[in-house]
Amino acid sequence: MKKAASAKGAASAKKAASKAGGSKAGGSKASGSKSTASKSTASKSTASKASSSKTSAAKKAAKGAAVKKAPAPKKVAVAPKKATARLKGTAPAKAVVHPPGDESPTALVRRARRINRELAEVFPYAHPELDFENPFQLVVATVLSAQTTDLRVNQTTPSLFAKYPTPEDLAAANPEEVEEILRPCGFFRAKTKSVIGLSKALVEDFGGEVPGRLEDLVKLPGVGRKTAFVVLGNAFGRPGITVDTHFQRLVRRWRWTGESDPDKIEAAIGALFPKSDWTDLSHHVIWHGRRICHARKPACGACPIAPLCPAYGEGETDPEKAKKLLKYEKGGFPGQRLKPPQAYLDAGGTPAPPLGAG
């Protein structure tokens, strides 16, 4: 009995052990399955990272290629700090000139006024370049200066005023005789008609006196706003802006205005300066246009306002070559007046020769 019970117990124990072993084996298999899945996931993650890294590298390479293919930026114009101070064989101090396309109204006013101050230092003796002794001579000379130089007018008017010194004399003149005198000025027939006509208007409407008001001056034959402001500013001391061809060219070159109509230019420039500066401003700009900043070949290399000019480089920038382009007293040549002011002579200016002189 005891042996049978013992045998049953042993068999029961073996079965239990067998179940336990099966259970452990199953757990091991499950664990192995999980480990395999984990390895598979890690492998996919690594592949994804590698792919992402390749894509990023490709993008960077593409960007680098795009940067390399981009065109090189244009060189910014560089102007000497003081063009007139250049010495042969020395490198001038330089200042970058930025085109003022996005210039604010305040910055424009400051730059424009600085240019005027610089020109006032260069041309302290600037004056109207027509010879005259009274308002009548000035208005006649200004009318004659259309389509010709002040020099040619100054060489012609001595004979005219010697024969017809007053409005009354010129109003009663024989047109053919006046034409002969004015022939060197060009368009002499039309100019004869204008000066005789304005002389008659002065006699009939203003008692033989040149009026000192703009609205009266522009009523005279051959007299427009430009002529009127020349007379008002230089014969009566009343401020005015003279918009001649030089003035128009320079204020557009300096980008003070983009207007082309003289009246609109006058209004635009007048807004940049106090009224008291208008007459002298006109002289400074016109003198600079005649002597340095020419229409076709501006002498950029000899220009005192080069660092302030957005058009620097349009002309000759070499200082030695630029000096050869200077005209009138800046180039060592006579001025335009036969009888210039004493201040001009004191500054080294030379009077122009009379008509017919070598």
Side-chain angles (χ1 to χ4, degrees):
M1 294 291 288
K2 285 181 182 178
K3 284 182 181 178
S6 177
K8 285 181 181 178
S12 179
K14 282 182 181 180
K15 285 181 181 179
S18 178
K19 285 181 182 179
S23 176
K24 282 181 182 178
S28 178
K29 285 178 183 179
S31 176
S33 176
K34 286 180 182 178
S35 176
T36 302
S38 176
K39 285 179 181 177
S40 176
T41 303
S43 177
K44 286 179 182 178
S45 175
T46 303
S48 175
K49 285 182 181 178
S51 176
S52 175
S53 177
K54 286 180 181 178
T55 304
S56 177
K59 285 182 179 178
K60 286 181 180 178
K63 283 183 180 178
V67 171
K68 287 179 181 177
K69 288 180 182 178
K74 291 182 180 180
K75 291 183 180 180
V76 181
V78 175
K81 195 170 184 180
K82 272 282 185 181
T84 51
R86 276 190 177 184
L87 297 176
K88 193 173 182 179
T90 61
K94 294 182 178 180
V96 176
V97 178
H98 298 284
D102 55 350
E103 192 172 36
S104 69
T106 301
L108 172 58
V109 168
R110 288 175 178 169
R111 184 170 63 89
R113 294 186 181 185
R114 185 178 170 190
I115 286 176
N116 187 41
R117 290 195 299 272
E118 294 281 349
L119 294 181
E121 292 182 10
V122 178
F123 307 111
Y125 43 78
H127 55 266
E129 295 193 274
L130 289 169
D131 281 323
F132 69 98
E133 296 177 357
N134 54 56
F136 170 64
Q137 291 187 1
L138 180 56
V139 71
V140 170
T142 307
V143 169
L144 296 178
S145 67
Q147 306 291 323
T148 190
T149 64
D150 287 355
L151 173 59
R152 184 48 58 95
V153 174
N154 291 335
Q155 293 174 328
T156 305
T157 51
S159 298
L160 180 70
F161 295 139
K163 191 168 185 177
Y164 311 106
T166 68
E168 290 82 2
D169 295 326
L170 192 52
N174 182 335
E176 291 182 358
E177 293 179 1
V178 176
E179 286 178 4
E180 195 57 35
I181 295 174
L182 300 184
R183 188 179 292 272
C185 288
F187 302 95
F188 58 92
R189 291 189 180 88
K191 291 179 180 180
T192 294
K193 185 177 180 181
S194 292
V195 296
I196 290 179
L198 76 84
S199 297
K200 287 181 178 178
L202 290 176
V203 172
E204 295 170 3
D205 301 331
F206 301 100
E209 298 292 331
V210 177
R213 298 195 313 165
L214 176 64
E215 53 268 37
D216 292 331
L217 283 169
V218 294
K219 293 177 183 177
L220 300 174
V223 177
R225 289 180 68 87
K226 184 195 86 169
T227 299
F229 280 128
V230 170
V231 175
L232 289 173
N234 298 290
F236 294 98
R238 296 176 184 173
I241 295 177
T242 304
V243 185
D244 73 347
T245 54
H246 300 289
F247 194 95
Q248 292 183 49
R249 181 180 75 253
L250 265 61
V251 297
R252 286 197 297 268
R253 184 173 278 175
W254 295 335
R255 298 188 195 176
W256 288 3
T257 181
E259 299 290 349
S260 57
D261 178 75
D263 291 349
K264 291 181 179 179
I265 291 175
E266 178 195 323
I269 305 307
L272 301 178
F273 295 87
K275 198 171 183 179
S276 58
D277 289 350
W278 288 357
T279 300
D280 286 341
L281 167 71
S282 299
H283 292 324
H284 297 154
V285 175
I286 292 170
W287 274 54
H288 189 62
R290 285 175 172 169
R291 286 155 174 74
I292 298 174
C293 194
H294 316 306
R296 295 183 181 178
K297 291 184 178 180
C300 294
C303 180
I305 59 165
L308 301 170
C309 180
Y312 175 81
E314 287 186 7
E316 180 57 65
T317 57
D318 181 85
E320 296 303 319
K321 292 179 180 178
K323 285 179 183 177
K324 296 178 181 179
L325 300 175
L326 301 179
K327 295 182 179 180
Y328 301 108
E329 81 284 352
K330 290 299 174 186
F333 303 109
Q336 299 205 67
R337 291 185 66 163
L338 278 67
K339 298 179 181 179
Q342 190 59 44
Y344 177 75
L345 297 174
D346 293 341
T350 306
L355 189 65

